[in-house]
Amino acid sequence: MTDLTEFKQQTTEWLEANCPASMRKIQIRSEGVFGGKQFTFPSDDAKLWFDLMVDKGWTAPQWAKEYGGAGLSNDEAKILNKEMDRLGCRKPLIGHGLWMLGPALLEYGTEAQKLEHLPKIARGEIRWCQGYSEPGSGSDLASLRCKAEDLGDHYLLNGQKSWTSDGDKADWIFCLVRTNDEGIKQEGITFVLFDMDTPGITVRPVPLITGESHFCDTFLDNVKVPKDQVVGEIGKGWSVAKALLVHERTMMADIEKNMPKPKYSVDDYAKNYLASDDNGRLDDGLIRDRLAEHMMRDSAIKLTQKRAFEEGMAGDFDMRVATIFKYIGTEEKTQKDTLITDMMGMAGAGWDNENFSVDEQTKTHEWMSNKALTIAGGSSEVQLNVISKRALGLPEI
Amino acid sequence: MPLALNEEQRMLRDTARDFLQDNAPVGLMRQLRDDDNVKGYSEDLWQQMIDMGWPAVAIPEQYGGLGFGFVGVGAILQEAGKTLANSPFFNTVALGAAAIIHGGNEQQQADLLPKIAHGEMRLALAHEESNHHKSSRIECQCIINENQLTINGCKQFVAEGGNADLLIVSLRSQPTSKSAAGITLALVDPKTPGITVKKITMIDSRNYVHIDFSNVTISTDNILGKAHHGLALLDKTLDHGRICLAAEMLGGAQAMLDKTVEYLKDREQFGRKIGAFQALQHRAAKMFAELEIAKSAVIHALSAIDHDEDLAMVASTAKTLANDTYRLITDEAVQMHGGIGLTDEMDVGFYLKRCRVSIQSLGDSGFHKNRFATIQHF
Ligand SMILES: Cc1cc2nc3c(=O)[nH]c(=O)nc-3n(C[C@H](O)[C@H](O)[C@H](O)COP(=O)(O)OP(=O)(O)OC[C@H]3O[C@@H](n4cnc5c(N)ncnc54)[C@H](O)[C@@H]3O)c2cc1C
């Protein structure tokens, strides 16, 4: 038996023995485990499952053990993922710390920073939020103005951050600030980390179309940040920010892989909500066509990610292809949400929880909230700019 | 199933690319068109392809082939698509050899496969009977009587039919209400008495014919696969063709995208390169993205052939994505070239025309989405 087969067998056995049955069912967003000081587990099983996984280091399976991970190899992590998928196990922990800050710290953080922050992320002790956007700086992120004044051993921050997802629930923030006004705008940006309890921070939730207010306006008024909380070099925060954006985009490009597995597949909705003839053929020919097209495109997009990986291994990968994933993955995902809610008809437009099932509410909700996928983390238009320039070499606008 | 080419396959691709760019540029196709060449291909070029062993690529080694599989065939066709290089390669290998490999008896395989591998035999599939591709609605009739088979009816739009040394003909051998049963495939020499071949000219300047069968009588030895149960073999053959044609189409799409991007960097209006206009940049970027995902569907389907996987879903996915992508890119290529895109002097029009014929060949996207939905039970 090879090491990998053995690993697979042990993993399967462990998951089967330890993953509570209720943790293998469809999960709605409000049941997601984001961790952090304010977090309360939606159920005892969720807590149990989380604790067991933390002990194994499987919340961040590929991080080294001293950083709270399990030090798994690529292949082992793949097996773990696959087995969790197959058994329908929920993700024990999700969020910005795991997906974005962690990978960026591994690349740019000092050893002290890694030892300080990574274990707390992996153990779900600290929940992170992202302070990039400002009222005047969205797609043109590098124009950001939040000011950091150098006061010797610390910076003094003043300014406003917007769209801070879960800013009211997070414990710490990774934030882009301006340490230098001169020269080109990308230079003079610094990447800092600080505690959301630091005096001078005001967070105001903004209600969204979903009825939730998961993102916030964040006001910084004379906030003191010690200099050892700078990640990377002073004035070189743009590189860290960009590296982190790559992780963010990769995560968003295949959001379904990173989220709990849905109970129904897209064609189940056709069967559950639409009339068919005696041969099982949908009466609505247009929906039938859209559904087939979506399923084909969805498979082609997933195959492209696989192909990119395999071609990379074979040394035959055209790097330009990497520019398409965020754009094409998120566009197809929003098409899918529209298609599903179309198939549900009025049941895909319900709000209350008396007349609409949890699944219906979730789908309707997802259709709205996933509109963000093509906007946040670099909008589709910005991605198309990137493809035009980097993949096709077209001139500056 | 692997989605990346292995070293041998990459070498084949690179050799094919270099050879075709040098020896079969679009100018060759233009010349054939200008000369009203009846064959629609250059004998010289075909002979060189034979010398390089291309027809042998997918033929099993025991029959004198190279045993390289269809990923190799797809790699060659993709390169041929880039320069619109036509030859008997596609119809002989992707349809003809595929049918014989999967349906031929020992005698037929031993007799035909080495000839195909050596380039001594060109094949064509005589299947369509109307303006739209269909797999099972066949009316061309055959009556099997002891050891004889008599054919009556007509076949339309037979690609390379005027060049073929041997035809594979799909026939209705049992009149039945259920179209799935009662289909027989037969190998027919186009010189058999009772066969009339009529050349038709299509916009892609390749060889197409209508074929009329009037009391054509041949021996039952020529039945390919099982009499009356030929539909599965026919479908499998068509799927090979759909997948390989999709590979050729992506080559054409790639060439058109490259040419268009080049033009965007060259042409100036309003005092700057038109490639600086975001309205064009975004459309070009979408073309790039669409082409990349279509490539994955096609290489996946080619790989599925070589791993003996079920082909229906992957073939329909590959052909649909190739159809839609090639159309998007050729339409946009004409548009982004402006007026000059409509002139015969530019090559763009050749791709536009080839694209239209390819889409209609072996199933347009409506056909394949319908088929996909039916297989998926919705
Ligand atoms: C749900 C959600 C959560 C978010 N969470 C966070 C978070 O936690 N932290 C954080 O920092 N930010 C967050 N964001 C902000 C997000 O990063 C920005 O919304 C995004 O960068 C776009 O900026 P904007 O909203 O200001 O839009 P704008 O930049 O004003 O864009 C408006 C429109 O103009 C287009 N546009 C802009 N520039 C160009 C161009 N050069 N070419 C063509 N078109 C262009 C855009 O594509 C868009 O269609 C979140 C956003 C959403 C929707």
Side-chain angles (χ1 to χ4, degrees), chain A residues 280-281 288-289 291 293 295-297 304 307 310 316 321 327 381 384-385 388 392-393 395-397, chain B residues 2-4 10 13 261 265 276 278 281-282 286 290 292-293 296 300 320-321 369-370 373-374 376 378:
Chain A
R281 186 187 163 111
R288 189 167 178 264
D289 185 271
L291 179 55
E293 178 162 324
M295 290 173 74
M296 289 175 168
R297 291 179 59 81
T304 307
R307 174 167 71 90
E310 289 181 22
D316 192 35
V321 179
Y327 163 72
E381 291 73 22
L384 290 171
N385 289 344
S388 323
L392 303 178
E396 285 297 326
I397 299 157
Chain B
L3 299 171
R10 289 206 299 273
R13 173 196 67 190
V261 169
K265 291 178 190 173
Q278 199 181 42
Q281 289 187 342
H282 282 192
K286 282 180 197 173
E290 292 296 326
E292 288 304 324
I293 69 164
S296 312
H300 181 242
T320 300
L321 268 86
K369 284 189 268 185
N370 180 22
T374 306
Q376 289 273 314
F378 65 77

Side-chain angles (χ1 to χ4, degrees), chain A residues 96 130-133 138-139 162-165 214-215 372 375-377 379 381-382 385, chain B residues 278 282:
Chain A
H96 283 42
Q130 178 181 35
Y132 277 25
S133 308
S139 299
S162 36
W163 320 127
T164 321
S165 292
H214 98 93
F215 64 33
I375 297 172
S379 68
E381 291 73 22
V382 168
N385 289 344
Chain B
Q278 199 181 42
H282 282 192

Side-chain angles (χ1 to χ4, degrees), chain A residues 96 100 128-141 161-167 173-174 176 208 214-216 245 248 252 369 371-383 385 389 397, chain B residues 278 282:
Chain A
H96 283 42
M100 301 180 211
W128 287 85
C129 62
Q130 178 181 35
Y132 277 25
S133 308
E134 296 178 10
S137 306
S139 299
D140 183 13
L141 182 59
K161 290 288 168 186
S162 36
W163 320 127
T164 321
S165 292
D166 300 317
I173 185 167
F174 51 93
L176 295 177
L208 299 182
H214 98 93
F215 64 33
C216 306
L245 269 176
E248 181 173 4
M252 289 173 78
S369 60
K371 294 261 165 228
L373 292 176
T374 54
I375 297 172
S379 68
S380 286
E381 291 73 22
V382 168
Q383 297 305 310
N385 289 344
K389 249 138 256 149
I397 299 157
Chain B
Q278 199 181 42
H282 282 192

Side-chain angles (χ1 to χ4, degrees), chain A residues 255-289:
Chain A
I255 187 89
E256 288 182 341
K257 200 173 84 196
N258 294 291
M259 283 298 187
K261 239 193 156 57
K263 185 169 168 187
Y264 299 114
S265 64
V266 56
D267 48 324
D268 288 336
Y269 287 92
K271 282 171 208 143
N272 295 348
Y273 288 92
L274 294 171
S276 305
D277 69 12
D278 294 345
N279 299 318
R281 186 187 163 111
L282 292 174
D283 289 346
D284 186 332
L286 202 53
I287 290 274
R288 189 167 178 264
D289 185 271

Side-chain angles (χ1 to χ4, degrees), chain B residues 40-60:
Chain B
Y41 72 88
S42 145
E43 274 295 354
D44 268 1
L45 184 77
W46 178 228
Q47 190 53 52
Q48 284 173 287
M49 289 173 148
I50 294 167
D51 294 343
M52 285 188 294
W54 289 0
V57 161
I59 308 290

